């Protein structure tokens, strides 16, 4: 096939018939490659007589240009076809409504626990935990709660069935047994914060049979009531994010602290709307006191060498106050609409970052 005319027709036919870039490449090599047909013709020029050579050279060059232009044009065509095939196959309907990003919400109780831990964490407290099912000793006796105390009564406390020795375990009625457990296994200094579930036979708009508390305990050689007050004032202001929040310590009684104080924060109820901050009203949010020497003794700590303070508060209560949640019971309904309204996005910054610390 050394007739350039014939070669051109054959080449153009094969180029037009190539249906993929790979097939086109095969045709290119067949004609224009180093062993290709057109290349072979050009190589034969040297054997021709000089007067034929010029004429033949011009024709062969024209042939080579025609073939390579045709290949290039066919390549563009094939690429365009491939693109429109892809566009047709991978077509995306931009008018479809966007899929909502599946984003969960943090329950206000979890959020509040995280915030409380963050604030006390800044003050050097570490988190401690204990079991929900307690021994009478940890829940009552070691805490100086006498046998006749109302807290031990059947209608307040969930008791488990009697064991072989006649004793009964309880669902812990507060987080204070974790004070006892910590002091029994660790010598001072102690600085713990204890979030957790607690149980009492109570059920109305502000009480649930299962609720959460957070306990605090500080024991050291010189820890005194001033530390208790400073620490809790600082906490209240950081947690409610009110720098000048009034905080009041009201004498009270707990069997495991002496002296004891309940902690109130200032509020106003102008126009029926509760507002945390300076005002004519007070809200109780915490129980606290200096750990009773008998409790220290019960836990193997010498009260002549060490002293300290403890406090406890209801997490639901402070969460309801901070976030304006009117009914405690809705916290446990697992109603998604409620959670979307009162819940938190995972990356919400705990208030301590903005707080007064
Ligand atoms: N345990 C007490 C309660 O449940 C709260 C408290 C804890 C009070 C620590 C004083 C000290 O009411």
């Amino acid at each position: 096939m050394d007739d350039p005319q014939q070669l051109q027709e054959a080449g153009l036919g094969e180029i037009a018939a190539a249906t993929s870039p790979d097939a086109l490449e095969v045709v290119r090599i067949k004609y224009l490659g180093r062993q290709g047909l057109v290349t072979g013709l050009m190589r034969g020029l040297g054997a021709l007589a000089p007067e034929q050579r010029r004429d033949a050279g011009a024709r062969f060059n024209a042939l080579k240009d025609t073939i390579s232009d045709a290949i290039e044009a066919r390549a563009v065509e094939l690429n365009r076809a491939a693109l429109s095939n892809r566009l047709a196959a991978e077509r995306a309907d931009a008018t479809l409504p966007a899929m909502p990003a599946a984003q969960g919400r943090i329950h206000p109780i979890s959020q509040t626990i995280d915030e409380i831990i963050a604030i006390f964490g800044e003050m050097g407290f570490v988190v401690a935990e204990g079991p929900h099912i307690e021994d009478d000793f940890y829940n009552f006796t070691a805490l100086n709660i006498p046998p006749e105390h109302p807290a031990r009564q059947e209608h307040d406390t969930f008791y488990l069935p009697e064991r072989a020795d006649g004793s009964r375990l309880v669902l812990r009625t507060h987080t204070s047994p974790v004070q006892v457990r910590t002091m029994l296994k660790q010598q001072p200094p102690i600085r713990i914060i204890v979030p957790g579930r607690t149980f009492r036979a109570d059920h109305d708009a502000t009480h649930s049979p299962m609720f959460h508390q957070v306990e605090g305990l500080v024991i050291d050689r010189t820890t005194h009531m001033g530390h208790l007050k400073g620490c809790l004032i600082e906490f209240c202001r950081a947690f409610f994010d009110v720098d000048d929040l009034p905080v009041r310590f009201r004498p009270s009684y707990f069997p495991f602290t002496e002296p004891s104080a309940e902690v109130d924060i200032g509020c106003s109820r102008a126009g029926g709307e509760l507002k945390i901050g300076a005002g004519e009203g007070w809200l109780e949010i915490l129980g606290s006191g200096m750990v009773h020497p008998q409790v220290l003794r019960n836990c193997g700590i010498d009260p002549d060498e060490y002293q300290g303070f403890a406090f406890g508060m209801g997490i639901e209560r402070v969460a309801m106050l901070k976030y304006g949640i009117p009914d405690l019971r809705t916290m446990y309904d697992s109603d998604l609409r409620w959670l979307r309204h009162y819940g938190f996005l995972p990356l919400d910054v705990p208030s301590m970052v903005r707080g007064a610390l």
Side-chain angles (χ1 to χ4, degrees), residues 305-320:
E305 212 178 319
Y306 291 106
Q307 56 183 22
F309 64 87
F311 55 88
M313 78 186 118
I315 291 175
E316 282 81 351
R317 178 162 170 77
V318 293
M320 287 166 76

Side-chain angles (χ1 to χ4, degrees), residues 174 176 179 200 213 215 254 256-257 287-288 310-312:
H174 49 180
S176 303
Q179 287 188 34
R200 285 181 208 175
Q213 284 192 337
E215 188 88 6
F254 299 101
F256 34 91
T257 48
S288 70
F311 55 88

Side-chain angles (χ1 to χ4, degrees), residues 203-215:
H203 194 47
D204 59 37
T206 52
H207 295 91
S208 148
M210 187 282 297
F211 61 107
H212 297 74
Q213 284 192 337
V214 63
E215 188 88 6

Side-chain angles (χ1 to χ4, degrees), residues 281-304:
W282 293 99
L283 277 168
E284 179 201 320
I285 62 158
L286 269 150
S288 70
M290 299 304 293
V291 178
H292 196 295
Q294 188 55 46
V295 173
L296 294 174
R297 240 175 261 125
N298 293 343
C299 298
I301 291 177
D302 181 357
D304 292 327

Side-chain angles (χ1 to χ4, degrees), residues 237-253:
R237 292 181 174 166
F239 179 77
F240 289 103
D241 207 7
V242 179
D243 287 348
D244 56 356
L245 178 66
V247 180
R248 175 173 85 170
F249 292 78
R250 195 163 29 78
S252 184
Y253 174 78

Side-chain angles (χ1 to χ4, degrees), residues 145-320:
I145 300 177
E148 68 285 359
H149 195 276
R152 283 175 181 256
Q153 270 161 30
E154 197 77 31
H155 68 266
D156 282 329
T157 304
F158 293 110
Y159 283 95
L160 273 70
E162 244 175 55
R163 291 185 290 182
D165 64 359
S167 67
R168 297 170 84 182
L169 295 172
V170 299
L171 294 186
R172 67 178 180 190
T173 60
H174 49 180
T175 41
S176 303
V178 185
Q179 287 188 34
V180 178
R181 289 180 173 276
T182 305
M183 288 191 278
L184 280 172
K185 71 173 186 252
Q186 180 194 334
Q187 279 298 302
I190 292 171
R191 211 181 274 195
I192 53 163
I193 190 86
V194 185
R197 277 184 192 167
T198 48
F199 307 85
R200 285 181 208 175
D202 250 343
H203 194 47
D204 59 37
T206 52
H207 295 91
S208 148
M210 187 282 297
F211 61 107
H212 297 74
Q213 284 192 337
V214 63
E215 188 88 6
L217 175 71
V218 176
I219 306 284
D220 210 336
R221 289 181 198 279
T222 57
T223 303
H224 54 67
M225 190 86 186
H227 295 128
L228 178 159
K229 292 182 72 178
C231 175
L232 294 181
I233 291 172
E234 198 64 42
F235 164 74
C236 292
R237 292 181 174 166
F239 179 77
F240 289 103
D241 207 7
V242 179
D243 287 348
D244 56 356
L245 178 66
V247 180
R248 175 173 85 170
F249 292 78
R250 195 163 29 78
S252 184
Y253 174 78
F254 299 101
F256 34 91
T257 48
E258 182 58 36
S260 305
E262 265 160 345
V263 181
D264 301 338
I265 54 171
C267 69
S268 73
R269 293 188 176 85
E273 202 205 328
L274 178 70
K275 206 167 157 277
I276 307 282
E280 73 294 340
W282 293 99
L283 277 168
E284 179 201 320
I285 62 158
L286 269 150
S288 70
M290 299 304 293
V291 178
H292 196 295
Q294 188 55 46
V295 173
L296 294 174
R297 240 175 261 125
N298 293 343
C299 298
I301 291 177
D302 181 357
D304 292 327
E305 212 178 319
Y306 291 106
Q307 56 183 22
F309 64 87
F311 55 88
M313 78 186 118
I315 291 175
E316 282 81 351
R317 178 162 170 77
V318 293
M320 287 166 76

Side-chain angles (χ1 to χ4, degrees), residues 45-76:
L45 278 175
L48 296 179
E51 61 277 11
Q52 291 178 321
R53 204 184 292 160
R54 210 165 48 116
D55 195 33
R59 276 198 291 136
F60 294 171
N61 268 327
L63 168 65
K64 186 183 157 204
D65 289 347
T66 306
I67 297 278
S68 77
D69 288 352
I71 288 176
E72 221 169 281
R74 182 66 182 148
V76 170

